[in-house]
Amino acid sequence: VPAIVCMEQLVPFIRKLCGASGMTEEDAAAVADIYSRSTLRGVGHHDVNDLPGRLRLIRDGQMNPRPAISRLSGFGAVESYDGDNGPGELVCSFAMRRAEQLASDHGIGLCTVRNSNHFLAAAPYTEQAAEKGDLGLMLTRTKPVMGGPDGGPAVIGNNPFGFAAPSGHGFPLSLDIAVAYASYGRLKELEAAGQPIPAHWGRNARGEPTSDPGEVQNGGIVMPIGAHKGFGIALLIELLTSIIGEGLLVDEPPAQADDTGSSIKGVYTQTAIAIKIEALLPEDAFRARVSRMIEFIQSTNPDIRVPGERSYRQSRVIHNEGVILDAKLIDRLNEFAEQLGVEPLAPAGPEPCLIDTN
Amino acid sequence: VPAIVCMEQLVPFIRKLCGASGMTEEDAAAVADIYSRSTLRGVGHHDVNDLPGRLRLIRDGQMNPRPAISRLSGFGAVESYDGDNGPGELVCSFAMRRAEQLASDHGIGLCTVRNSNHFLAAAPYTEQAAEKGDLGLMLTRTKPVMGGPDGGPAVIGNNPFGFAAPSGHGFPLSLDIAVAYASYGRLKELEAAGQPIPAHWGRNARGEPTSDPGEVQNGGIVMPIGAHKGFGIALLIELLTSIIGEGLLVDEPPAQADDTGSSIKGVYTQTAIAIKIEALLPEDAFRARVSRMIEFIQSTNPDIRVPGERSYRQSRVIHNEGVILDAKLIDRLNEFAEQLGVEPLAPAGPEPCLIDTN
């Protein structure tokens, strides 16, 4: 049975769970903001649904809630850091803040962090940057899960990335994608719904194109968008993250307790890039130009939703009406709350969460 | 009847044609280098085959062979310029050199140029940057030729881009793509060869998926890779080129002789980005990491050619054996040569062009 929870209850609850798990107050607030933003997108995964897994990793000593993020290298507007196996949400918040600062100083900034963990999604970070007048990009590598241009075994991550830019439309233009046709999350949803997939999206265990999302998940492989094109973009993202950031590369395994070699435990390397719009033109002029582009597109084809539009509308609904969470998720979160001495999460009452002031 | 021409004859011939068309000696050499690099890729279009069209535009006063490229704006590591309706090959050579200089000064550099023209391809510029120890990216907008995520009329360019990075494999990792499944050039080739296309590559004039490349070209539309994914990447490229560079946007028409509004004649805005590898790690270490990635990929799946590998092998062959050019192309080039007072191009003799020293 799902329950409705107001964001005004959920976000402080997340902040308290993170703080009680060992994060500093400031870090817990930053991480709670990332969970808030990702949950408001209304996607239903890579949001608060991922929090129990993170809390478990921290509890089991596999992820560091109080990382000493340290500078590896840098010159001018580019910097690399070691994330000390901290939560991706925390390490990437740091990376985007650094990129924003570098962009303030140099017009553009790039900050890469190795030894990091899963970051949920790109949009929370890029939209933070866009709210500050930057064009923000966030890239992440993953371990190899995607086939080559013509299929075959997994040779590279599906390396998600996103960008966000201010517009005059009340929401940022915001893309958040992986470079395979479908994420495993999406395949699971389609399988549950009994929906077929286009045959070029994936291969089955015998290497053949298949329209069955279950076959792709069971020993098959997801395919890069546009074959060699998505494959090449995935390589670019590996270059811009783990290769320049000296993180784990392609199949390199993370350090284990008994390892004497690599000291890197976090599989992920992420890179934040910010471009200070005012370095080139007034932000108002930029917003007007973005909106001019959106208007041209939608006047030509009214069916098109531009990236970020759907998730913005979702966020308004979730702000006002709360978010629908699975009872099992609430139970798991409240188990952690009990262990950590945090007051449990209460479902919303019959009143709306917020009075919509729009 | 095609003829074989040695690059040692072709490149000085191009340089002289460009010089005689009004370019400075330095600019003519830079443009000839771009034509050399694009022709060596062995693609058969967007190379010396495009030169007669450029010479015609210059002769007819529609493109400026001696542009006064002027700074519009900038701060720190980002700059925007007006290309004064110069040849794309010239304006983009300038942009990449500026980006390289900014990267030397700041670790990363971004230079955008509006009021430019077609640049042939991204690879010649990005590979120049990679040879100097940079990770180079080159992006271009085009006028709208691509449908939205679900088809419909053209709403955005197929916005080509590319990157190149040094490797330890003797050639740069180098991607050069547009974000539609197929370029119009590729569709023409497939149509001529009587080959069908996957039905998701394009739509016919009635908006239906089609496997006939001719139907896509005759009133149909090319589709973005991965639907909303390629569409979103095209928007990002529009942002990073014409929106920040204040060039012509989506459907905005270039200035005509009788226009009083826009003074921009060149439809294209391009952006060069360079990242100085040594700002983060030694170039040798970077090359070793790129090669480690290539080796992992090819040991897992020996069928995969990484981006830049095929064109590198082609370039060795063309260097040694010459390039096969259509007799009609040679005739057109020699007509310009006669008009411009340049000695005509001679086909290669029976000897190989170069003694292969590898």
Side-chain angles (χ1 to χ4, degrees):
Chain A
V1 194
I4 293 176
V5 175
C6 291
M7 295 302 285
E8 284 59 44
Q9 270 74 56
L10 183 64
V11 179
F13 176 69
I14 295 172
R15 198 188 65 232
K16 286 175 200 161
L17 286 174
C18 290
S21 292
M23 293 184 204
T24 67
E25 270 189 45
E26 191 189 341
D27 287 349
V31 169
D33 183 45
I34 298 301
Y35 275 94
S36 172
R37 289 171 182 270
S38 56
T39 302
L40 283 167
R41 298 177 71 225
V43 177
H45 59 261
H46 292 332
D47 56 13
V48 67
N49 284 281
D50 290 13
L51 184 59
R54 299 293 196 280
L55 296 175
R56 186 180 52 69
L57 287 172
I58 292 174
R59 187 191 60 198
D60 297 350
Q62 296 180 308
M63 199 164 74
N64 182 0
R66 202 169 281 228
I69 301 175
S70 59
R71 195 169 187 274
L72 285 176
S73 182
F75 170 74
V78 298
E79 291 182 344
S80 59
Y81 286 85
D82 186 293
D84 196 20
N85 194 30
E89 299 84 355
L90 173 49
V91 170
C92 289
S93 294
F94 170 85
M96 187 53 92
R97 284 200 310 272
R98 278 305 303 158
E100 289 162 5
Q101 182 60 52
L102 293 168
S104 288
D105 296 343
H106 299 274
I108 186 170
L110 181 155
C111 179
T112 180
V113 272
R114 75 174 191 191
N115 201 1
S116 176
N117 287 286
H118 199 291
F119 73 160
L120 289 182
Y125 313 94
T126 58
E127 294 180 9
Q128 282 177 331
E131 289 167 11
K132 293 172 191 161
D134 288 346
L135 199 166
L137 290 110
M138 177 64 80
L139 324 167
T140 187
R141 76 167 301 255
T142 72
K143 60 181 195 214
V145 297
M146 194 169 76
D150 301 309
V155 290
I156 193 77
N158 64 354
N159 292 1
F161 78 102
F163 75 85
S167 81
H169 269 61
F171 61 89
L173 207 59
S174 175
L175 184 75
D176 189 322
I177 60 171
V179 299
Y181 284 103
S183 65
Y184 284 92
R186 179 90 181 112
L187 292 175
K188 208 173 287 180
E189 281 172 14
L190 291 168
E191 186 187 13
Q195 297 256 357
I197 55 171
H200 57 280
W201 280 21
R203 300 281 164 90
N204 63 22
R206 294 179 304 282
E208 302 152 349
T210 176
S211 56
D212 178 350
E215 280 204 340
V216 176
Q217 293 169 82
N218 297 316
I221 200 85
V222 292
M223 292 289 286
I225 55 172
H228 69 288
K229 301 191 178 197
F231 177 66
I233 297 171
L235 298 188
L236 173 61
I237 293 170
E238 194 87 354
L239 283 169
L240 289 172
T241 55
S242 59
I243 289 187
I244 60 170
E246 302 193 78
L248 296 177
L249 190 56
V250 284
D251 64 331
E252 288 170 358
Q256 300 299 319
D258 56 353
D259 267 358
T260 49
S262 169
S263 61
I264 305 180
K265 290 181 182 166
V267 165
Y268 294 87
T269 301
Q270 285 105 358
T271 296
I273 300 171
I275 298 171
K276 177 60 65 190
I277 289 162
E278 296 256 346
L280 289 176
L281 72 168
E283 192 185 322
D284 281 353
F286 177 92
R287 287 179 183 271
R289 289 175 72 74
V290 173
S291 282
R292 158 96 186 79
M293 174 171 74
I294 296 172
E295 280 153 19
F296 166 71
I297 290 168
Q298 297 188 330
S299 70
T300 310
N301 185 346
D303 294 337
I304 295 179
R305 299 275 73 78
V306 295
E309 189 169 1
R310 187 206 53 76
S311 63
Y312 171 72
R313 294 192 198 290
Q314 277 288 335
S315 77
R316 301 310 310 156
V317 172
I318 295 174
H319 252 304
N320 294 333
E321 300 177 9
V323 59
I324 301 168
L325 299 181
D326 204 81
K328 224 159 80 182
L329 171 67
I330 297 180
D331 288 348
R332 288 188 68 195
L333 289 171
N334 280 336
E335 280 167 37
F336 278 103
E338 198 180 345
Q339 288 171 24
L340 294 165
V342 168
E343 214 174 302
L345 183 66
E351 295 298 307
C353 291
L354 279 184
I355 307 304
D356 192 341
T357 53
N358 281 357
Chain B
V1 193
I4 294 177
V5 174
C6 291
M7 295 302 284
E8 284 58 44
Q9 271 74 56
L10 183 63
V11 179
F13 176 69
I14 294 172
R15 198 188 64 232
K16 285 174 201 162
L17 286 175
C18 290
S21 291
M23 293 184 204
T24 68
E25 271 189 44
E26 190 189 342
D27 287 349
V31 169
D33 183 45
I34 298 302
Y35 276 94
S36 172
R37 289 172 181 270
S38 56
T39 302
L40 283 166
R41 298 178 71 225
V43 177
H45 59 261
H46 292 331
D47 56 14
V48 66
N49 284 282
D50 290 12
L51 184 59
R54 300 292 197 279
L55 297 174
R56 187 180 51 71
L57 287 172
I58 292 174
R59 188 192 60 197
D60 296 351
Q62 295 181 306
M63 200 164 74
N64 181 359
R66 201 169 280 228
I69 301 175
S70 59
R71 195 169 187 275
L72 286 176
S73 183
F75 170 74
V78 299
E79 291 183 344
S80 58
Y81 286 85
D82 186 292
D84 196 20
N85 194 31
E89 299 84 355
L90 173 50
V91 171
C92 289
S93 295
F94 170 86
M96 186 54 91
R97 285 200 311 272
R98 278 305 304 157
E100 289 163 5
Q101 183 60 52
L102 293 168
S104 288
D105 297 342
H106 300 274
I108 186 170
L110 181 155
C111 179
T112 180
V113 271
R114 74 174 190 190
N115 200 2
S116 175
N117 287 286
H118 198 290
F119 73 160
L120 289 182
Y125 314 94
T126 58
E127 294 180 10
Q128 283 178 331
E131 288 166 13
K132 294 173 192 161
D134 287 347
L135 198 167
L137 290 110
M138 177 64 81
L139 324 167
T140 187
R141 75 167 302 254
T142 73
K143 60 182 193 210
V145 296
M146 194 170 75
D150 302 308
V155 290
I156 193 78
N158 64 352
N159 292 1
F161 79 102
F163 76 84
S167 82
H169 270 61
F171 62 89
L173 206 60
S174 174
L175 183 74
D176 189 321
I177 60 171
V179 298
Y181 284 103
S183 66
Y184 284 92
R186 180 89 181 111
L187 292 175
K188 210 173 287 182
E189 280 172 16
L190 291 168
E191 186 187 12
Q195 298 256 356
I197 54 172
H200 58 279
W201 280 21
R203 301 281 164 89
N204 63 21
R206 293 178 306 282
E208 302 152 349
T210 176
S211 56
D212 178 350
E215 280 204 338
V216 176
Q217 294 170 80
N218 296 316
I221 200 87
V222 292
M223 292 288 286
I225 55 172
H228 69 289
K229 301 191 176 196
F231 176 66
I233 296 170
L235 297 188
L236 173 61
I237 293 170
E238 194 87 354
L239 283 169
L240 289 173
T241 55
S242 59
I243 290 187
I244 61 170
E246 301 193 78
L248 294 178
L249 189 58
V250 284
D251 64 330
E252 288 170 358
Q256 301 299 318
D258 57 352
D259 266 359
T260 49
S262 169
S263 61
I264 305 180
K265 289 182 184 167
V267 165
Y268 293 87
T269 302
Q270 286 105 358
T271 296
I273 300 172
I275 298 171
K276 179 59 66 191
I277 289 162
E278 296 255 346
L280 290 176
L281 71 169
E283 193 185 322
D284 281 353
F286 178 92
R287 287 179 183 272
R289 290 175 71 74
V290 173
S291 282
R292 159 95 187 79
M293 173 171 76
I294 295 172
E295 280 152 20
F296 166 72
I297 290 168
Q298 296 188 331
S299 70
T300 310
N301 185 347
D303 294 337
I304 294 179
R305 299 275 73 76
V306 295
E309 189 169 0
R310 187 205 53 76
S311 63
Y312 171 71
R313 295 191 198 291
Q314 277 288 335
S315 77
R316 301 309 310 155
V317 173
I318 294 174
H319 253 304
N320 294 334
E321 301 177 8
V323 60
I324 300 169
L325 299 182
D326 203 81
K328 223 159 81 182
L329 171 67
I330 298 180
D331 288 348
R332 288 188 69 195
L333 288 170
N334 280 337
E335 280 168 37
F336 278 104
E338 199 181 345
Q339 289 171 22
L340 294 165
V342 169
E343 215 174 299
L345 183 66
E351 296 298 306
C353 290
L354 279 184
I355 308 304
D356 193 341
T357 53
N358 280 357

